[in-house]
Amino acid sequence: QSALTQPRSVSGSPGQSVAISCTGTSSDVGGYNFVSWYQQHPGKAPKLMIYNVNKRPSGVPDRFSASKSGNTASLTISGLQAEDEADYYCCSYAGSYTLVFGGGTRLTVL
Amino acid sequence: QVQLVESGGGVVQPGGSLRLSCAASGFTFSNYAMHWVRQAPGKGLEWVAGISYDGSSEYSADSVKGRFTISRDNSKNTLSLQMNSLRPEDTSVYYCARDLGERGVGATVYYWGQGILVTVSS
């Protein structure tokens, strides 16, 4: 149950695109199409932004997209806006009601 | 609307015990897998434990195995986390969380409670 690997920080200017990677193993990211992404603002509970690798819940802007290749998943945020500044966490199912999270990535909108 | 309200947090000495509860409403509790997820101050999210919708299967992270037990009472719409042999490194905000799909395998957390702080300190 090792944490998934994410970059500690990324940044971009308003209107630009940024990508956040999430690397796991064949026992989690690579083994299931159950990768999810969460946005967390300071002092708030996380919010689901992507599930099942690339699906968006109702209400999440289509500026948020995601994909997976092998043991690595990626979240892309296009048309960056100030309110996108937050911490982002990937999460993967690892079998038998078990989940594993990434260490988190701080997104700064310059 | 879906509501998850945690209770039972507080300050406890190392080696002590605490029981967290989560009152669920706004959905058919017995149809959803549930999880506990924690976040140490200034740190990232860590999955703690998960339980199937009917309570027949339960799993926990290696970091808490043998010390924490997740359980549920579907007749009372309540999720619990019994925490024994607490350590300073267990100090975190603990979130009660619901799976995305009905009778799913617990693969995706969708709804989160507001979280409750547990502090382990002498």
Side-chain angles (χ1 to χ4, degrees):
Chain A
Q1 295 176 355
S2 298
L4 307 178
T5 301
Q6 297 181 232
R8 295 196 69 173
S9 64
V10 297
S11 62
S13 300
Q16 289 187 332
S17 295
V18 295
I20 301 172
S21 62
C22 169
T23 301
T25 69
S26 58
S27 296
D28 38 63
V29 175
Y32 306 92
N33 286 323
F34 289 126
V35 177
S36 50
W37 291 89
Y38 299 88
Q39 176 191 67
Q40 187 179 36
H41 286 109
K44 301 293 187 182
K47 174 187 177 182
L48 180 66
M49 304 301 285
I50 296 286
Y51 68 98
N52 291 6
V53 177
N54 57 12
K55 294 181 171 45
R56 285 187 309 276
S58 173
V60 173
D62 58 7
R63 301 185 296 102
F64 291 83
S65 62
S67 62
K68 188 189 85 166
S69 178
N71 296 338
T72 298
S74 295
L75 172 71
T76 299
I77 308 170
S78 58
L80 269 179
Q81 299 181 3
E83 59 261 35
D84 298 334
E85 184 162 294
D87 292 326
Y88 291 84
Y89 295 90
C90 63
C91 178
S92 176
Y93 182 63
S96 300
Y97 300 94
T98 298
L99 300 173
V100 58
F101 284 92
T105 299
R106 173 69 54 87
L107 169 61
T108 301
V109 180
L110 302 170
Chain B
Q1 72 280 24
V2 172
Q3 281 200 312
L4 301 169
V5 180
E6 301 95 341
S7 61
V11 180
V12 61
Q13 292 189 338
S17 297
L18 211 56
R19 186 177 182 88
L20 302 183
S21 294
C22 172
S25 61
F27 65 101
T28 303
F29 181 71
S30 59
N31 283 357
Y32 290 87
M34 298 291 294
H35 298 276
W36 287 99
V37 178
R38 70 183 180 182
Q39 187 169 33
K43 302 297 185 182
L45 300 172
E46 180 187 14
W47 176 79
V48 174
I51 188 167
S52 60
Y53 62 90
D54 60 359
S56 63
S57 300
E58 53 185 274
Y59 298 88
S60 58
D62 290 342
S63 58
V64 305
K65 199 159 292 184
R67 301 187 300 123
F68 291 11
T69 302
I70 186 173
S71 62
R72 65 190 299 159
D73 185 338
N74 284 347
S75 68
K76 296 181 179 179
N77 292 350
T78 300
L79 179 73
S80 298
L81 184 68
Q82 177 66 43
M83 303 185 293
N84 299 330
S85 303
L86 283 160
R87 305 166 180 168
E89 55 265 35
D90 295 318
T91 295
S92 290
V93 171
Y94 284 76
Y95 292 100
C96 167
R98 198 204 85 175
D99 193 25
L100 175 65
E102 281 193 80
R103 305 201 174 199
V105 295
T108 303
V109 169
Y110 190 7
Y111 289 102
W112 300 70
Q114 83 283 359
I116 194 159
L117 180 62
V118 172
T119 302
V120 184
S121 174
S122 53

